[in-house]
Structure formats: C-alpha cells, structure tokens
Amino acid sequence: MPTRRSFLLTSAAATAALPLAAQTSSHAPTPTLPAPIAALKNRSHEAVPITLAERQRRVDRARELMARQKIAALCITGGTSLGYFTGIRSGVSERIFAWILPASGAPYIVCPAFEEARMTEQLSQLPEGAQTRIYTWNEDEDPYALLVKHLPHPGPLALDERVPFVYADRLAQADPSRKVVSGIPITAGCRSIKSPAELAIMQLANNITLSCYKAAFESATPGLTTAGFTALVDSAFAQCGVRGDVSCQTGEWSALPHGSIKPQVIRENQIVLIDDGCVLEGYVSDISRTFVFGKATDRQKKIFDIVHTAQAAALSAARVGAPCHVVDDAARKVVTDAGFGPDYKTFLHRLGHGIGMDGHEWPYLVRGNNQPLEVGMCFSDEPGIYLPGEFGVRLEDDWHLTESGGVMFTPTSSSLENPFA
C-alpha cells in the first residue's frame, strides 16, 4: 500500500529487526517471530467483498448526481475510482484505458486492442456488464477520437480527479466543442458516503492494524532501530494476512509529522511515534500511536494529555449537518487554549482527512471547508503537537459519522506508557 510515508520503508527494516547474529551470518536460520506476533491469526478471510449489486447502486448514484448537474458522461481511467465502480484494478500508463459512464445509456470501455480479451472476461463482474461495449484502438490510431466519438450529445464530460493531464488535454482537443469539467462532485459524492458493507471492511482493517501495533509494541525493546520496529509491524501484518506499512520516528525526529530518513535508535523514556495502516479488500486504515518504553516525563505527559483532549473534542464536535471545519476548529481550540497556538504554530496540519479506498480522500476536516457532514462519512481524527528539537505527539484513529454523532473504529490511546491498555 504505497503512501506518503512509504519512502521511509526500506529493505534495511527487515534486517534491522533481526538479532545481530542473524544480521552478520550468511547462513543464519530464519528468525522465529516474537510470541505476541506469532499469536496473531490470519483475519483477511473475515472480510466480505463488495458485491456486484452494491457496485450497481454506486453507478445508479453517480447517474443521479450527473443528472442534477446536467453532465453527459463521466470518464474514469485507472485508479481507485475505477475499482470503486467496476472492480477493475488498473494503473495508468501512456496508453489510455477508460471506463465511460453516460448519464443515460450503457457504459463503454476504450482500451488498446491487445486488452480486449482481458476486458471481455471481466464484463460479467461489472455493473451492466452485459450491455457494456468495448471499443479498441491499435497503436497507430487515436484513442481520444474513439472515446469522444461514442459520447452522448450534448453536455459536458466529467473527468475523475486522477485522470492525467495528458489524457484530459487530448480529450479536450479531440472534441473542442464539448466542455470538460471536474468529476469530483460525482466520484467524491459517491465515495464519501460509506455503505454498511464498506464500514464493515474498514472496521476489520482498523481492528487488524491496532492488533498489529500492539503486538509490535509488546515485542520491541529500547535499543531497536526504528526500521526494526517497522519490520516487526510488517511481520504482524503478514501474520494477519494483509498488506500494510508503518513509519516509525523517535526523539526529536518525531517532531516532523512525516518523519525523517535519518537512521534512528529507540531509547528508553524517549517518544516513539508510529503511523499508517493496512489495506483490506481495497480499503485502508490509518492509525497513529505515540508512546515511550519506560517512564514518560511530566512534559511528555502534558503534551500527550493536550493532544488526547483535542482528539476527543474533535469527535464530540462532529454532528450531521455541521460544516467539516468545526471538527478542526474544536481540536485546534484545545491546543491553542493550552498555550501551544495559535493556528498552525505547533499543530502543523489539518485535523483529518476522508478515508476509504484511498488513505486520503474527500472530504477534508480543515479550516474553511463548509461542506456539511453526512451520515456514512469516514475520517481520520489526528491532532498533534510538534516541538522542534524535542519531540512530537500525534494520536490518530479513524471514525465514521452516525445520526447520533461520530464513532471511532478503534479505542483511543490511554497513555504514553500503556498505549494499548
């Protein structure tokens, strides 16, 4: 699951977690897993995949949104939204592959001719697959002209936000008379509201992540490198049958929200900050924990308590119909009132981001965002205080909005010394 912090994860992590003898011997046996990690069970089979019927409801919802905005068609190329609506997992290359959903009429696919057989065998798994046409192009032909040729008339063409500029530019040139607009109101309008099936997958992903963090914490000791701690979490994820990653920072480097590439060693009584999560059935978790091995100082405890209070205040502020910014406002007020403000002085980032099939997705909990909160929206709740040259504390859990308010997927951290109590 590549993320904004994946650059911190290198092959050195696996080596750093091994005993010194195993690191230096070319014939060393594969090390046994620490007991807390070995005790973890594969839980990936507990996830119930998204059904074809649910994907059809997503398509129906997209058409409703397109009709409201008088959009003729939605174009999605490779990426998360393609998987969301169709279940097709495809990246982006110099050759355009596109799934087009007209506001009325059957969807169609534009792909290279050599992909036709592969796409044909997947049609039965797509919403309206029996009605979906596949239009192919050879290497010396213009796929953009082919795509616009089959668009309904008239009306704008909406592009998913992840459509590369080169695709968008060529589509605009292929049909200068047609307006090309952002597809965010459609794709985010669908994806930002999670169904019960999506919430169930996300609940399991969060449960697995927290159990892996806990097992790694119980397996680690001072003197381990941060790369070694990352390797412990990687082993835990593998035991649970999921893919994931985690960044780990300690001491003064924990004051950098996305960490440092510098080699670090975990010392007794120093702050350790871990962050990220796993991916399960295409859905991700994102959890941060801050802790110490040993005894926390009074200053460390003070900062932790402020951040902990801010996290709770943010969740309490979440209510149906409230603008997104009030959640950020609530947490930032706690930090400022405690003397660590104003604004972004020590709380350097927004309170949270939407989460689902992408680690960061619409909508965002940030100052100035007046979008109303709706039942089924999912976010991170991650206030932090970062003190350059000292340490940083961030606490992050994912949550979703219900009619009665925000509900965390996981229990929040209890303390620096017992983060998983």
Side-chain angles (χ1 to χ4, degrees), residues 103-274:
S104 60
Y108 64 92
I109 290 171
V110 172
C111 69
F114 61 79
E115 293 277 27
E116 183 175 9
R118 187 170 72 92
M119 288 300 101
T120 299
E121 71 179 9
Q122 296 187 55
L123 288 179
S124 63
Q125 302 172 36
L126 271 61
E128 302 175 22
Q131 293 78 44
T132 298
R133 295 291 301 273
I134 300 175
Y135 299 106
T136 64
W137 55 279
N138 287 307
E139 299 279 28
D140 60 342
E141 296 176 321
D142 184 352
Y144 304 96
L146 178 64
L147 191 155
V148 300
K149 174 183 177 180
H150 296 282
L151 287 172
H153 291 276
L157 172 64
L159 302 184
D160 178 60
E161 64 181 303
R162 300 299 175 89
V163 171
F165 172 78
V166 65
Y167 292 1
D169 186 51
R170 293 289 300 276
L171 285 170
Q173 293 178 36
D175 187 357
S177 66
R178 186 181 297 274
K179 187 176 181 180
V180 176
V181 300
S182 170
I184 290 175
I186 303 166
T187 54
C190 292
R191 289 176 53 187
S192 63
I193 308 298
K194 271 61 179 184
S195 69
E198 290 177 288
L199 292 175
I201 296 173
M202 294 179 69
Q203 180 68 67
L204 181 56
N206 278 271
N207 290 348
I208 290 173
T209 298
L210 197 61
S211 70
C212 291
Y213 283 7
K214 181 176 184 288
F217 174 77
E218 293 172 347
S219 301
T221 58
L224 184 68
T225 64
T226 51
F229 191 96
T230 292
L232 289 175
V233 179
D234 288 345
S235 296
F237 281 142
Q239 277 290 101
C240 291
V242 298
R243 293 181 296 109
D245 59 25
V246 68
S247 67
C248 179
Q249 310 298 318
T250 189
E252 63 180 301
W253 305 118
S254 62
L256 302 178
H258 285 169
S260 168
I261 61 173
K262 293 183 180 296
Q264 302 163 46
V265 177
I266 297 170
R267 305 297 184 191
E268 192 170 9
N269 308 327
Q270 280 193 343
I271 288 289
V272 180
L273 172 57
I274 62 174

Side-chain angles (χ1 to χ4, degrees), residues 287-405:
I287 297 176
S288 296
R289 285 293 180 267
T290 304
F291 49 82
V292 298
F293 291 101
K295 185 173 177 58
T297 66
D298 289 343
R299 182 161 173 78
Q300 290 169 344
K301 290 178 181 178
K302 175 184 177 181
I303 302 303
F304 177 93
D305 288 343
I306 295 168
V307 174
H308 193 270
T309 301
Q311 188 186 41
L315 189 70
S316 296
R319 60 188 183 279
V320 176
C324 283
H325 72 78
V326 303
V327 185
D328 182 281
D329 296 343
R332 208 162 297 278
K333 183 178 187 303
V334 171
V335 173
T336 299
D337 288 351
F340 291 88
D343 300 324
Y344 296 90
K345 181 180 179 181
T346 64
F347 182 3
L348 303 175
H349 49 74
R350 66 196 170 205
L351 182 279
H353 51 82
I355 188 168
M357 293 185 75
D358 284 319
H360 288 194
E361 60 182 45
W362 300 93
Y364 298 99
L365 304 176
V366 64
R367 179 183 297 169
N369 187 359
N370 292 313
Q371 180 177 350
L373 293 167
E374 298 181 58
V375 172
M377 286 183 171
C378 296
F379 303 93
S380 67
D381 181 352
E382 50 178 310
I385 293 177
Y386 308 92
L387 306 175
E390 292 188 70
F391 60 85
V393 172
R394 179 168 69 253
L395 300 175
E396 177 183 15
D397 293 275
D398 300 332
W399 61 280
H400 61 100
L401 190 65
T402 70
E403 290 287 358
S404 57

